[in-house]
mmCIF file of all heavy atoms in Angstrom:
data_model
loop_
_atom_site.group_PDB
_atom_site.id
_atom_site.type_symbol
_atom_site.label_atom_id
_atom_site.label_comp_id
_atom_site.label_asym_id
_atom_site.label_seq_id
_atom_site.Cartn_x
_atom_site.Cartn_y
_atom_site.Cartn_z
ATOM 1 N N TYR A 77 -2.734 8.303 10.983
ATOM 2 C CA TYR A 77 -3.989 7.609 10.811
ATOM 3 C C TYR A 77 -4.070 6.423 11.775
ATOM 4 O O TYR A 77 -3.091 6.136 12.420
ATOM 5 C CB TYR A 77 -4.138 7.116 9.342
ATOM 6 C CG TYR A 77 -2.990 6.304 8.793
ATOM 7 C CD1 TYR A 77 -2.893 4.935 8.957
ATOM 8 C CD2 TYR A 77 -2.064 6.951 7.983
ATOM 9 C CE1 TYR A 77 -1.895 4.187 8.397
ATOM 10 C CE2 TYR A 77 -0.975 6.199 7.423
ATOM 11 C CZ TYR A 77 -0.915 4.807 7.670
ATOM 12 O OH TYR A 77 0.090 4.098 7.094
ATOM 13 N N GLN A 81 -6.875 -3.481 11.936
ATOM 14 C CA GLN A 81 -5.964 -4.433 11.312
ATOM 15 C C GLN A 81 -6.497 -5.843 11.634
ATOM 16 O O GLN A 81 -6.530 -6.194 12.839
ATOM 17 C CB GLN A 81 -4.564 -4.257 11.804
ATOM 18 C CG GLN A 81 -4.079 -2.828 11.519
ATOM 19 C CD GLN A 81 -2.635 -2.614 11.935
ATOM 20 O OE1 GLN A 81 -2.331 -2.734 13.100
ATOM 21 N NE2 GLN A 81 -1.737 -2.304 11.049
ATOM 22 N N LEU A 89 -1.663 4.463 14.000
ATOM 23 C CA LEU A 89 -0.699 3.906 13.072
ATOM 24 C C LEU A 89 0.097 5.041 12.526
ATOM 25 O O LEU A 89 0.985 5.541 13.107
ATOM 26 C CB LEU A 89 -1.419 3.111 12.007
ATOM 27 C CG LEU A 89 -2.154 1.819 12.485
ATOM 28 C CD1 LEU A 89 -3.009 1.264 11.417
ATOM 29 C CD2 LEU A 89 -1.112 0.787 12.974
ATOM 30 N N GLY A 90 -0.272 5.486 11.374
ATOM 31 C CA GLY A 90 0.429 6.641 10.724
ATOM 32 C C GLY A 90 1.556 6.166 9.857
ATOM 33 O O GLY A 90 1.883 4.993 9.755
ATOM 34 N N ASP A 91 2.179 7.139 9.161
ATOM 35 C CA ASP A 91 3.223 6.863 8.276
ATOM 36 C C ASP A 91 4.504 6.479 9.056
ATOM 37 O O ASP A 91 5.290 7.343 9.497
ATOM 38 C CB ASP A 91 3.636 8.064 7.406
ATOM 39 C CG ASP A 91 2.557 8.343 6.325
ATOM 40 O OD1 ASP A 91 1.856 7.406 5.915
ATOM 41 O OD2 ASP A 91 2.540 9.488 5.859
ATOM 42 N N GLY A 92 4.666 5.205 9.241
ATOM 43 C CA GLY A 92 5.826 4.701 10.032
ATOM 44 C C GLY A 92 7.084 4.598 9.236
ATOM 45 O O GLY A 92 8.201 4.508 9.807
ATOM 46 N N ARG A 93 6.931 4.566 7.927
ATOM 47 C CA ARG A 93 8.125 4.529 7.055
ATOM 48 C C ARG A 93 7.842 5.193 5.736
ATOM 49 O O ARG A 93 8.449 4.922 4.733
ATOM 50 C CB ARG A 93 8.518 3.063 6.797
ATOM 51 C CG ARG A 93 7.403 2.236 6.188
ATOM 52 C CD ARG A 93 7.991 0.951 5.700
ATOM 53 N NE ARG A 93 6.898 0.079 5.308
ATOM 54 C CZ ARG A 93 7.104 -1.096 4.688
ATOM 55 N NH1 ARG A 93 8.312 -1.452 4.359
ATOM 56 N NH2 ARG A 93 6.128 -1.858 4.343
ATOM 57 N N LYS A 113 8.117 5.733 0.375
ATOM 58 C CA LYS A 113 7.850 4.627 1.300
ATOM 59 C C LYS A 113 9.200 3.957 1.448
ATOM 60 O O LYS A 113 9.909 3.678 0.468
ATOM 61 C CB LYS A 113 6.879 3.602 0.614
ATOM 62 C CG LYS A 113 6.527 2.443 1.463
ATOM 63 C CD LYS A 113 5.308 1.722 0.904
ATOM 64 C CE LYS A 113 4.915 0.493 1.713
ATOM 65 N NZ LYS A 113 3.662 -0.091 1.204
ATOM 66 N N PHE A 120 5.818 7.988 13.930
ATOM 67 C CA PHE A 120 4.778 6.944 13.948
ATOM 68 C C PHE A 120 5.340 5.522 13.645
ATOM 69 O O PHE A 120 4.615 4.599 13.295
ATOM 70 C CB PHE A 120 3.729 7.256 12.881
ATOM 71 C CG PHE A 120 3.136 8.647 13.008
ATOM 72 C CD1 PHE A 120 3.307 9.584 11.975
ATOM 73 C CD2 PHE A 120 2.576 9.036 14.229
ATOM 74 C CE1 PHE A 120 2.811 10.840 12.126
ATOM 75 C CE2 PHE A 120 2.115 10.325 14.373
ATOM 76 C CZ PHE A 120 2.203 11.242 13.313
ATOM 77 N N SER A 121 6.675 5.380 13.794
ATOM 78 C CA SER A 121 7.298 4.137 13.433
ATOM 79 C C SER A 121 7.036 2.988 14.408
ATOM 80 O O SER A 121 7.231 1.802 14.115
ATOM 81 C CB SER A 121 8.793 4.231 13.288
ATOM 82 O OG SER A 121 9.069 5.150 12.175
ATOM 83 N N ARG A 122 6.561 3.314 15.610
ATOM 84 C CA ARG A 122 6.441 2.297 16.694
ATOM 85 C C ARG A 122 7.717 1.456 16.731
ATOM 86 O O ARG A 122 8.814 1.981 16.747
ATOM 87 C CB ARG A 122 5.174 1.478 16.411
ATOM 88 C CG ARG A 122 3.930 2.346 16.508
ATOM 89 C CD ARG A 122 2.664 1.591 16.051
ATOM 90 N NE ARG A 122 2.686 1.299 14.648
ATOM 91 C CZ ARG A 122 2.049 0.310 14.002
ATOM 92 N NH1 ARG A 122 1.314 -0.481 14.768
ATOM 93 N NH2 ARG A 122 2.178 0.126 12.768
ATOM 94 N N GLY A 124 9.029 -0.312 14.378
ATOM 95 C CA GLY A 124 9.577 -0.581 12.969
ATOM 96 C C GLY A 124 10.848 0.179 12.683
ATOM 97 O O GLY A 124 11.120 1.198 13.333
ATOM 98 N N ASP A 125 11.573 -0.246 11.661
ATOM 99 C CA ASP A 125 12.811 0.402 11.344
ATOM 100 C C ASP A 125 12.675 1.482 10.322
ATOM 101 O O ASP A 125 13.586 2.168 9.929
ATOM 102 C CB ASP A 125 13.837 -0.667 10.822
ATOM 103 C CG ASP A 125 13.322 -1.375 9.568
ATOM 104 O OD1 ASP A 125 12.266 -1.009 9.037
ATOM 105 O OD2 ASP A 125 14.054 -2.278 9.105
ATOM 106 N N GLY A 126 11.480 1.682 9.798
ATOM 107 C CA GLY A 126 11.215 2.763 8.860
ATOM 108 C C GLY A 126 11.701 2.462 7.492
ATOM 109 O O GLY A 126 11.600 3.312 6.573
ATOM 110 N N ARG A 127 12.214 1.264 7.301
ATOM 111 C CA ARG A 127 12.853 0.896 6.001
ATOM 112 C C ARG A 127 11.951 0.034 5.128
ATOM 113 O O ARG A 127 10.954 -0.557 5.590
ATOM 114 C CB ARG A 127 14.105 0.143 6.241
ATOM 115 C CG ARG A 127 15.131 0.815 7.175
ATOM 116 C CD ARG A 127 15.841 1.894 6.468
ATOM 117 N NE ARG A 127 16.743 2.638 7.412
ATOM 118 C CZ ARG A 127 17.340 3.755 7.098
ATOM 119 N NH1 ARG A 127 17.119 4.310 5.930
ATOM 120 N NH2 ARG A 127 18.164 4.307 7.934
ATOM 121 N N ARG A 165 15.303 -8.391 7.947
ATOM 122 C CA ARG A 165 14.008 -8.944 7.950
ATOM 123 C C ARG A 165 14.076 -10.362 8.421
ATOM 124 O O ARG A 165 15.177 -10.954 8.445
ATOM 125 C CB ARG A 165 13.355 -8.921 6.549
ATOM 126 C CG ARG A 165 12.986 -7.497 6.031
ATOM 127 C CD ARG A 165 11.861 -6.909 6.764
ATOM 128 N NE ARG A 165 11.530 -5.539 6.412
ATOM 129 C CZ ARG A 165 11.954 -4.415 6.992
ATOM 130 N NH1 ARG A 165 12.769 -4.500 8.054
ATOM 131 N NH2 ARG A 165 11.587 -3.203 6.553
ATOM 132 N N ASP A 253 -6.810 0.928 7.220
ATOM 133 C CA ASP A 253 -5.760 1.881 6.869
ATOM 134 C C ASP A 253 -5.270 1.632 5.413
ATOM 135 O O ASP A 253 -4.469 2.457 4.913
ATOM 136 C CB ASP A 253 -4.548 1.802 7.843
ATOM 137 C CG ASP A 253 -4.095 0.394 8.051
ATOM 138 O OD1 ASP A 253 -4.908 -0.473 8.351
ATOM 139 O OD2 ASP A 253 -2.872 0.163 7.862
ATOM 140 N N ASN A 254 -5.658 0.555 4.799
ATOM 141 C CA ASN A 254 -5.263 0.274 3.417
ATOM 142 C C ASN A 254 -6.406 0.459 2.472
ATOM 143 O O ASN A 254 -6.382 -0.057 1.365
ATOM 144 C CB ASN A 254 -4.694 -1.134 3.271
ATOM 145 C CG ASN A 254 -3.319 -1.254 4.007
ATOM 146 O OD1 ASN A 254 -2.660 -0.287 4.205
ATOM 147 N ND2 ASN A 254 -2.962 -2.484 4.350
ATOM 148 N N ASP A 263 -1.201 -0.064 -1.351
ATOM 149 C CA ASP A 263 -0.334 -1.038 -0.558
ATOM 150 C C ASP A 263 -0.337 -2.444 -1.036
ATOM 151 O O ASP A 263 -1.116 -3.249 -0.612
ATOM 152 C CB ASP A 263 -0.798 -0.967 0.921
ATOM 153 C CG ASP A 263 -0.045 0.117 1.667
ATOM 154 O OD1 ASP A 263 0.831 0.768 1.100
ATOM 155 O OD2 ASP A 263 -0.288 0.248 2.913
ATOM 156 N N CYS A 497 3.959 -10.405 4.774
ATOM 157 C CA CYS A 497 3.682 -9.015 5.123
ATOM 158 C C CYS A 497 4.947 -8.325 5.565
ATOM 159 O O CYS A 497 4.981 -7.115 5.631
ATOM 160 C CB CYS A 497 2.623 -8.937 6.195
ATOM 161 S SG CYS A 497 1.417 -7.669 5.894
ATOM 162 N N THR A 499 7.241 -6.708 4.738
ATOM 163 C CA THR A 499 7.675 -5.947 3.566
ATOM 164 C C THR A 499 8.662 -4.868 3.981
ATOM 165 O O THR A 499 8.948 -4.055 3.183
ATOM 166 C CB THR A 499 6.476 -5.385 2.841
ATOM 167 O OG1 THR A 499 5.690 -4.614 3.767
ATOM 168 C CG2 THR A 499 5.576 -6.494 2.261
HETATM 169 P P1 LIG B 1 1.236 -1.837 6.078
HETATM 170 O O1 LIG B 1 1.034 -3.204 6.554
HETATM 171 O O2 LIG B 1 2.448 -1.682 5.170
HETATM 172 O O3 LIG B 1 0.028 -1.207 5.466
HETATM 173 O O4 LIG B 1 1.621 -0.983 7.359
HETATM 174 C C1 LIG B 1 0.820 -0.921 8.481
HETATM 175 C C2 LIG B 1 1.441 0.092 9.495
HETATM 176 O O5 LIG B 1 2.708 -0.362 9.885
HETATM 177 C C3 LIG B 1 1.629 1.467 8.954
HETATM 178 O O6 LIG B 1 1.404 2.400 9.985
HETATM 179 C C4 LIG B 1 3.088 1.447 8.485
HETATM 180 O O7 LIG B 1 3.600 2.710 8.442
HETATM 181 C C5 LIG B 1 3.695 0.655 9.617
HETATM 182 N N1 LIG B 1 4.941 -0.045 9.107
HETATM 183 C C6 LIG B 1 5.051 -1.117 8.284
HETATM 184 N N2 LIG B 1 6.350 -1.412 8.117
HETATM 185 C C7 LIG B 1 7.076 -0.609 8.862
HETATM 186 C C8 LIG B 1 8.459 -0.469 9.154
HETATM 187 N N3 LIG B 1 9.406 -1.239 8.549
HETATM 188 N N4 LIG B 1 8.878 0.569 9.965
HETATM 189 C C9 LIG B 1 7.938 1.354 10.537
HETATM 190 N N5 LIG B 1 6.639 1.284 10.330
HETATM 191 C C10 LIG B 1 6.170 0.305 9.503
#
Side-chain angles (χ1 to χ4, degrees):
Y77 52 86
Q81 302 180 298
L89 294 168
D91 286 337
R93 56 167 172 172
K113 183 167 180 173
F120 309 119
S121 296
R122 298 172 292 155
D125 62 4
R127 306 282 177 193
R165 293 290 179 261
D253 51 306
N254 290 338
D263 269 0
C497 223
T499 56

